[in-house]
């Protein structure tokens, strides 16, 4: 009898071991599992959270449309331009956004009345041609009517989107930096850019920004990630700049370059705070500051091919630590499953950097990638759940103070309407 019970108990134990082994070996760990506490089932209600979107004007991506730019009748073009911008701002309100990041100087030009640089070619099709109204003045007025913050977004160094003959010809006009300071111009990524290592060129960037700060009632000044922007390190061919301006200060050109971007940010920060301390100064770098795998012991557990520190020569972490900027909005354009730069790892790293600093952390979100990317988690039935996870994470993670979507016209894409509806009807259904 005892033998029978022992055999039965042994059989039951063996069965339980098999069940446990099967259960644990079959348990699925998702890429977002380590961050589950920041991804609740119910959408959290957040009372204070920046919700923004970028309005790109370069090559007429978001505003004005190419068709409107081409209208020959000036009054009709102005009417249609204003109509399109009002529609964008109305849509921002409908989606419960509270901020827009309006590109006012994409290539050493102006979407505002400037004494320093020419009118943008993207307003009329002709570089330097007066559009007949002041787009930034109109945008500020209409944004504020709708209780939207408006941040003036500058590309500090880019001068053109290509280097072809017709572009060169168009740049030979008054106030064009290409025309007036050819000694500042370099070529990188098949574009003309201003060399960031030349002190007078740095001052030119600061003067352009301060012209807007002083003349317009903007809520913020915004830079994107284009500092040293190269296909490969050294493409800019700025060894001569290093030789001329380094004056024995730095033993290598990399540190010299990082100091140039640091000086731009520091000097501009001081100017804005002295002039209008309520105007926020923020920067949106690429997602990864530096990889631990590249020898940065304080970097993220990533393997990104393009980083702030080593590719853009922008020590964005230093800018946060010294509180030179009011907010940082890293472009974390990855999914939680990205093998080289997972969303959770990168966002958490930035949260650690910003903790205890008087610098807001907003996350730049890759709305443009939804159903338009090779990553399976941005596609099909995975897309809305991934966006949902990211926006919930941003709302719950205490150091993250907001989200900025790239970019505005992607809200109209037919393949992204499920995601738009998820934002409108659930994720951002209540105002913040």
């Amino acid at each position: 009898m005892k033998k029978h019970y022992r055999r039965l108990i042994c059989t039951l134990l063996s069965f339980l071991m098999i069940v446990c082994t099967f259960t644990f070996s079959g348990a699925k760990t998702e890429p977002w599992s380590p961050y589950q506490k920041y991804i609740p089932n119910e959408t959290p209600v957040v009372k204070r959270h920046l919700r923004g979107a970028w309005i790109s004007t370069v090559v007429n991506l978001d505003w004005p449309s190419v068709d409107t730019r081409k209208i020959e009748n000036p009054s009709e073009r102005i009417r249609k331009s204003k109509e399109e911008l009002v529609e964008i701002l109305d849509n921002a309100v409908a989606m419960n956004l509270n901020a827009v990041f309006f590109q006012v100087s994409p290539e050493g030009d102006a979407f505002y009345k400037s004494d320093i640089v020419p009118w943008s070619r993207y307003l009329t099709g002709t570089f330097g041609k007066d559009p007949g109204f002041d787009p930034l003045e109109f945008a500020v007025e209409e944004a504020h009517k709708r209780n939207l913050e408006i941040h003036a977004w500058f590309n500090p160094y880019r001068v053109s989107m290509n280097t072809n003959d017709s572009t060169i010809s168009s740049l030979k006009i008054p106030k064009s930096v290409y025309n007036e300071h050819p000694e500042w111009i370099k070529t990188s990524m098949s574009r003309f850019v201003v060399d960031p290592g030349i002190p007078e060129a740095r001052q030119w960037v600061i003067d352009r920004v301060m012209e807007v700060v002083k003349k317009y009632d903007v809520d913020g000044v915004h830079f994107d990630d284009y500092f040293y922007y190269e296909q490969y390190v050294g493409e800019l061919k700025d060894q001569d700049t290093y030789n001329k301006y380094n004056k024995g200060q730095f033993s290598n050109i990399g540190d010299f370059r990082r100091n140039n971007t640091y000086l731009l940010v520091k000097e501009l920060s001081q100017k804005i705070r002295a002039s209008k301390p309520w105007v926020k100064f923020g920067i949106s770098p690429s997602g990864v500051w530096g990889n631990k795998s590249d020898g940065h012991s304080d970097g993220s557990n990533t393997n990104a091919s393009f980083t702030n520190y080593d590719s853009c020569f922008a020590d964005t972490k230093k800018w946060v630590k010294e509180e030179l900027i009011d907010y940082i909005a890293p472009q974390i354009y990855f999914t939680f499953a990205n093998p080289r730069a997972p969303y959770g790892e990168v966002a958490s790293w930035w949260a650690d950097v910003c903790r205890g600093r008087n610098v807001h952390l907003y996350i730049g979100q890759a709305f443009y990638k939804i159903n338009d990317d090779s990553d399976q988690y941005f596609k099909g039935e995975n897309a809305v759940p991934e966006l949902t996870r990211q926006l919930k994470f941003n709302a719950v993670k205490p150091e993250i103070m907001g989200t900025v979507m790239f970019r505005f016209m992607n809200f109209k894409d037919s393949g992204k309407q499920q995601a738009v509806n998820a934002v409108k009807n659930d994720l951002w259904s209540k105002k913040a």
Side-chain angles (χ1 to χ4, degrees), residues 104-105 109-114 116 136 140 151-154 206-218 220-221 276 279:
V104 299
S105 186
D109 54 358
F111 275 72
Y112 51 91
K113 284 182 180 169
S114 174
I116 301 169
L136 180 56
V140 167
H151 294 237
W153 163 22
F154 292 80
I206 292 169
D207 291 345
R208 283 163 57 207
V209 174
M210 291 310 298
E211 182 179 42
V212 166
V213 170
K214 287 172 181 172
K215 283 187 184 177
Y216 296 88
D217 187 22
V218 294
V221 164
K276 288 185 179 176
V279 172

Side-chain angles (χ1 to χ4, degrees), residues 351-415:
D352 290 344
V353 168
C354 292
R355 190 178 298 117
R357 307 282 171 190
N358 190 23
V359 178
H360 279 194
L361 172 60
Y362 310 140
I363 305 299
Q365 220 79 28
F367 199 87
Y368 73 101
K369 284 190 173 182
I370 291 171
N371 285 319
D372 254 325
D373 195 69
S374 56
D375 189 322
Q376 62 168 332
Y377 284 98
F378 275 134
K379 292 163 76 173
E381 62 184 15
N382 294 326
V384 171
E386 177 65 22
L387 177 69
T388 300
R389 280 188 290 271
Q390 293 190 9
L391 293 190
K392 284 180 176 178
F393 181 93
N394 293 358
V396 176
K397 184 87 170 156
E399 297 83 7
I400 298 175
M401 309 291 284
T403 299
V404 190
M405 303 277 202
F406 189 81
R407 59 185 170 77
F408 213 94
M409 277 303 158
N410 293 129
F411 295 146
K412 295 183 107 177
D413 292 356
S414 58

Side-chain angles (χ1 to χ4, degrees), residues 139-394:
V140 167
E141 185 183 335
E142 294 297 322
H144 287 169
K145 266 188 206 172
R146 293 161 176 76
N147 205 24
L148 293 165
E149 279 190 11
I150 181 166
H151 294 237
W153 163 22
F154 292 80
N155 186 292
Y157 295 118
R158 187 169 61 204
V159 175
S160 71
M161 290 296 287
N162 59 62
T163 58
N164 62 35
D165 290 344
S166 61
T167 295
I168 291 170
S169 176
S170 73
L171 289 167
K172 292 177 179 176
I173 62 169
K175 293 195 284 191
S176 161
V177 68
Y178 181 93
N179 189 49
E180 299 196 346
H181 294 284
E183 72 279 10
W184 296 356
I185 304 299
K186 301 282 187 185
T187 304
S188 181
M189 292 290 279
S190 301
R191 296 165 178 181
F192 292 125
V193 296
V194 167
D195 185 340
I198 298 171
E200 294 82 4
R202 184 169 70 246
Q203 188 59 49
W204 171 79
V205 175
I206 292 169
D207 291 345
R208 283 163 57 207
V209 174
M210 291 310 298
E211 182 179 42
V212 166
V213 170
K214 287 172 181 172
K215 283 187 184 177
Y216 296 88
D217 187 22
V218 294
D219 301 289
V221 164
H222 185 79
F223 280 174
D224 51 28
D225 55 325
Y226 293 97
F227 291 97
Y228 282 88
Y229 186 60
E230 302 172 299
Q231 213 151 16
Y232 56 89
V233 172
E235 185 190 16
L236 200 69
K237 295 185 173 62
D238 57 341
Q239 185 68 38
D240 55 340
T241 309
Y242 173 63
N243 295 341
K244 183 173 180 180
Y245 295 105
N246 180 48
K247 297 182 168 62
Q249 195 177 359
F250 298 100
S251 61
N252 64 80
I253 197 169
D255 288 338
F256 168 74
R257 283 175 157 203
R258 274 179 284 273
N259 188 57
N260 295 327
T261 53
Y262 170 78
L263 288 174
L264 172 70
V265 171
K266 184 177 183 178
E267 290 167 11
L268 180 55
S269 175
Q270 289 168 344
K271 287 276 177 90
I272 294 170
R273 287 171 183 177
S275 175
K276 288 185 179 176
W278 60 89
V279 172
K280 301 167 193 170
F281 178 29
I283 289 171
S284 181
S286 57
V288 176
W289 172 80
N291 303 309
K292 269 189 180 163
S293 56
D294 289 335
H296 296 293
S297 58
D298 50 350
S300 49
N301 291 306
T302 49
N303 190 27
S305 56
F306 191 85
T307 66
N308 306 173
Y309 192 90
D310 294 311
S311 306
C312 292
F313 298 89
D315 192 350
T316 48
K317 181 157 70 75
K318 185 178 183 180
W319 307 345
V320 171
K321 297 226 168 194
E322 294 190 12
E323 298 181 352
L324 301 180
I325 51 180
D326 298 299
Y327 66 86
I328 193 156
Q331 299 166 25
I332 309 181
Y333 293 169
F334 320 116
T335 64
F336 278 94
N338 188 289
R340 295 170 72 90
Y343 186 90
E345 164 66 21
V346 179
S348 298
W349 184 90
W350 280 108
D352 290 344
V353 168
C354 292
R355 190 178 298 117
R357 307 282 171 190
N358 190 23
V359 178
H360 279 194
L361 172 60
Y362 310 140
I363 305 299
Q365 220 79 28
F367 199 87
Y368 73 101
K369 284 190 173 182
I370 291 171
N371 285 319
D372 254 325
D373 195 69
S374 56
D375 189 322
Q376 62 168 332
Y377 284 98
F378 275 134
K379 292 163 76 173
E381 62 184 15
N382 294 326
V384 171
E386 177 65 22
L387 177 69
T388 300
R389 280 188 290 271
Q390 293 190 9
L391 293 190
K392 284 180 176 178
F393 181 93
N394 293 358

